[in-house]
Amino acid sequence: MIDKHWASAADAVADISDGSSLAVGGFGLSGNPIALIEALLAQGTKDLSVVSNNCGVDDWGLGVLLAAQRIRKMTSSYVGENREFERQFLSGELELELTPQGTLAEKLRAGGSGIAAFFTQTGVGTQVAEGGLPRRYAPDGSVAVASPVKDVRTFDNGQGPREYLLEEAITTDFSLVHALAGDRHGNLVFNKAARNFNPLAAMAGRICIAQVEELVEPGELDPDRIHLPGVFVHRVVEVGRDIPKRIERRTVATEGS
């Protein structure tokens, strides 16, 4: 059987070249593949097109690549926690394809499942379907690139005719994900909120690189616990249980509450 274990994050991302497309796991700051992101930052890769639910914060997650101006385009559903993201987008330095969250999840899943496109009711009657959403601004503040009009068709879903718009699936050159545990064959187990986008991002990458907190031998994972089979995973890097994890908004109860 194939041993997919790689010695280091730096080795695992070494062939990600300038201009590559990436699907990156994480939900807020949960499940960010920070060791792989920092290795990519260290090697200087730039002009990246990244698909991820969000872009981290100013100094964590994908935010570190953004701050170094290594990202050319983001495809995301939520971008509200990063001031540098706002600055780069409004100044025309960054392209943004803003996508409804459920649609983004399905675009990644469809890409990993060999489905070219699908129809959804999400976005019907809005600029998501009608086009014109700014994707890139010009330096003078005008819209340099806008979203296109999408194909809308009518289907009878059993409750009468409804309009649906066509969304194309997403596949990327690479995917970077974080898992709680994995084995040498690439089978992965995710923890709580980290399970939201990590499995979907993993599926969409032609080469999936997973950082795992614990690497075990084949057969040690309970088959019923495996969230993503190793067929989708190509490289596994062990980063340890002590890898730093950030809390996006720390909330502490007041005394007596």
Side-chain angles (χ1 to χ4, degrees):
M1 298 294 290
I2 298 174
D3 185 347
K4 300 178 181 179
H5 176 230
W6 285 56
S8 69
D11 290 340
V13 304
D15 60 344
I16 300 180
S17 59
D18 293 352
S20 294
S21 59
L22 308 176
V24 181
F27 187 73
L29 297 187
S30 298
N32 282 218
I34 190 63
L36 299 175
I37 290 170
E38 289 181 340
L40 198 58
L41 176 71
Q43 78 178 29
T45 310
K46 61 182 186 297
D47 196 32
L48 297 168
S49 177
V50 179
V51 182
S52 186
N53 178 64
N54 53 284
C55 196
V57 292
D58 289 323
D59 60 347
W60 189 255
L62 284 169
V64 300
L65 288 174
L66 187 74
Q69 297 190 313
R70 304 290 178 78
I71 300 176
R72 175 186 60 81
K73 176 183 178 182
M74 284 295 306
T75 301
S76 299
S77 69
Y78 180 69
V79 296
E81 300 294 333
N82 194 314
R83 291 189 181 89
E84 178 62 12
F85 192 109
E86 178 185 13
R87 188 198 68 76
Q88 288 191 25
F89 177 54
L90 294 178
S91 67
E93 299 171 38
L94 177 70
E95 184 175 345
L96 169 63
E97 186 172 344
L98 196 60
T99 305
Q101 191 169 77
T103 300
L104 180 62
E106 182 61 12
K107 284 163 80 77
L108 290 165
R109 191 202 68 83
S113 301
I115 299 169
F118 58 91
F119 282 95
T120 176
Q121 286 184 279
T122 303
V124 171
T126 73
Q127 280 189 290
V128 173
E130 297 164 1
L133 284 171
R135 285 192 176 177
R136 183 185 288 276
Y137 284 101
D140 64 1
S142 62
V143 177
V145 179
S147 65
V149 177
K150 294 186 177 180
D151 184 18
V152 176
R153 292 179 59 183
T154 301
F155 295 92
D156 191 331
N157 66 359
Q159 299 178 340
R162 300 286 178 86
E163 288 189 327
Y164 293 76
L165 65 89
L166 183 67
E167 291 282 3
E168 295 184 7
I170 291 175
T171 56
T172 57
D173 300 322
F174 296 87
S175 56
L176 309 179
V177 300
H178 173 91
L180 177 67
D183 64 24
R184 292 178 181 273
H185 293 171
N187 299 301
L188 301 180
V189 175
F190 302 95
N191 186 39
K192 299 181 175 67
R195 192 177 171 186
N196 276 311
F197 271 90
N198 272 296
L200 305 171
M203 292 173 66
R206 296 182 184 92
I207 297 176
C208 172
I209 308 170
Q211 65 171 58
V212 300
E213 295 181 37
E214 180 183 9
L215 180 69
V216 303
E217 296 302 319
E220 290 188 35
L221 294 178
D222 180 349
D224 283 337
R225 286 189 63 215
I226 293 171
H227 298 138
L228 186 73
V231 67
F232 292 108
V233 180
H234 305 88
R235 303 171 190 174
V236 179
V237 178
E238 186 175 23
V239 295
R241 293 282 191 177
D242 294 331
I243 189 165
K245 298 176 184 177
R246 290 275 296 274
I247 297 174
E248 193 164 353
R249 290 181 179 271
R250 186 182 297 274
T251 303
V252 181
T254 58
E255 186 176 354
S257 64

